[in-house]
Amino acid sequence: MRFDVSSTALLSSLQSISKVIASKNSLPILDSFLFDLKEDTLTVTASDAETRLVTTVDVMNVQGAGLFAVSAKILLEPLKELPEQPLTFDINDDNLEIFIHFQNGKYNFIGQKGDTYPQQKPLKDNAITITMDALTLLNGISRSLFATADDELRPVMNGIYFDIHADDLTFVASDGHKLVRLRDLAVKSPERASFILPKKPANLLRNLLAKESGDVTVRFDDNNAYVTCANFEMVCRLIEGRYPNYNSVIPQENPYKVIIDRVSFLNALKRVSVFSNQASSLVKLYLEDNLMTISAQDIDFSTSAEERIVCQFDGSRLVIGFKATYLIEILGNISSEEVILELADPSRAGLIVPSENEEDEDLLMLLMPMMLND
């Protein structure tokens, strides 16, 4: 086999899919890229047994065809240091000795047989397909990923729940302390369905979709999902199990409503939280007559801080405590200028919603309060 390829095109494709490769693999061949050469297209695959990424690179002056695996480390490290230039791959079909010729020299190493690389099982006949804009999927994953859990006892909480209805797609993530529910009204589906996307493939998709445009097709059955767009395909194993009824934990009647400038609130929290107890990260919010006072203290180190922000609030006086790190994360994942805090009492979950939703979106964030001793 023999082919020519641009060094930067090859490097870009390899880097985009290389993040899926685990640092320790159960199968040694998973430390490698799988190359499949057919006519003028080189298909490259990387996998960690649970998730696989596939992309294609255009090649020229092709002789022969075949399947072979190349160590990711051997290929990526030198390619990073090469300036843009054509590379010529010359592969001995008998012993898989590989020569890469370039302007100032050559690399030489041994490849592996590609037929030992794990193959992906096809989806079942009852697989469901939904199509959405790449930006819609990126937005849903980006806004909800931070709220996923790391819970060995409840693995269903360790991913993003895709709740698919005829008129909308709802992204849900929760770790028991905070919850995100993003409903996108632009995505339609012919039937009711759902799946739980694990954290690692969600992270990979977030990085890959940032460079994509156009539509993304998601096909899935009970066990696996295929995510296909213009420049790559991802196949991943889904988390099996039933996701909790997220709507039942969202309080419906919240008598206290606070409208506040999001950036001012966020920046004040960042400053005040520096003075909170490092273990609890507790900040207290005092609300009365269009004024919010944010305070924190660490008794062990005799430090404290307090800031006041003007807001819209005309209810009776309320004091509630939240974990500052969670509140900062939530406010950082909302894009509107103002946010609305919907509160009931110091022991019940607070809702944080944008004052104005993006087009075709309905975003809701929930945060459990922390107990106050005083």
Side-chain angles (χ1 to χ4, degrees), residues 123-136:
L123 291 172
K124 294 174 187 170
D125 294 338
N126 63 349
I128 293 167
T129 302
I130 58 168
T131 303
M132 67 190 87
D133 187 75
L135 195 61
T136 299

Side-chain angles (χ1 to χ4, degrees), residues 292-353:
M292 177 191 284
T293 304
I294 306 167
S295 73
Q297 66 172 350
D298 188 346
I299 296 167
D300 298 340
F301 293 95
S302 300
T303 61
S304 66
E306 188 177 284
E307 279 200 38
R308 284 179 291 279
I309 309 175
V310 174
C311 62
Q312 291 180 44
F313 176 73
D314 57 5
S316 56
R317 186 174 181 271
L318 176 70
V319 184
I320 190 166
F322 289 112
K323 192 177 181 77
T325 48
Y326 291 165
L327 197 47
I328 288 166
E329 276 184 319
I330 284 174
L331 291 169
N333 280 282
I334 297 175
S335 55
S336 68
E337 284 187 19
E338 291 184 326
V339 291
I340 302 169
L341 274 65
E342 298 183 11
L343 307 167
D345 63 57
S347 63
R348 286 175 58 191
L351 300 183
I352 300 141
V353 296

Side-chain angles (χ1 to χ4, degrees), residues 147-166:
T148 53
D150 287 303
D151 191 339
E152 291 180 7
L153 299 176
R154 293 190 299 168
V156 292
M157 308 298 282
N158 299 344
I160 299 171
Y161 181 55
F162 285 63
D163 195 5
I164 302 157
H165 296 263

Side-chain angles (χ1 to χ4, degrees), residues 183-218:
R183 190 177 285 138
D184 195 294
L185 307 172
V187 182
K188 312 293 181 190
S189 168
E191 54 191 303
R192 173 89 176 81
S194 64
F195 64 90
I196 306 170
L197 181 71
K199 193 176 287 195
K200 180 174 178 178
N203 251 317
L204 292 165
L205 275 175
R206 185 171 63 171
N207 293 330
L208 290 164
L209 288 168
K211 301 168 190 167
E212 290 292 319
S213 57
D215 282 349
V216 179
T217 304
V218 182

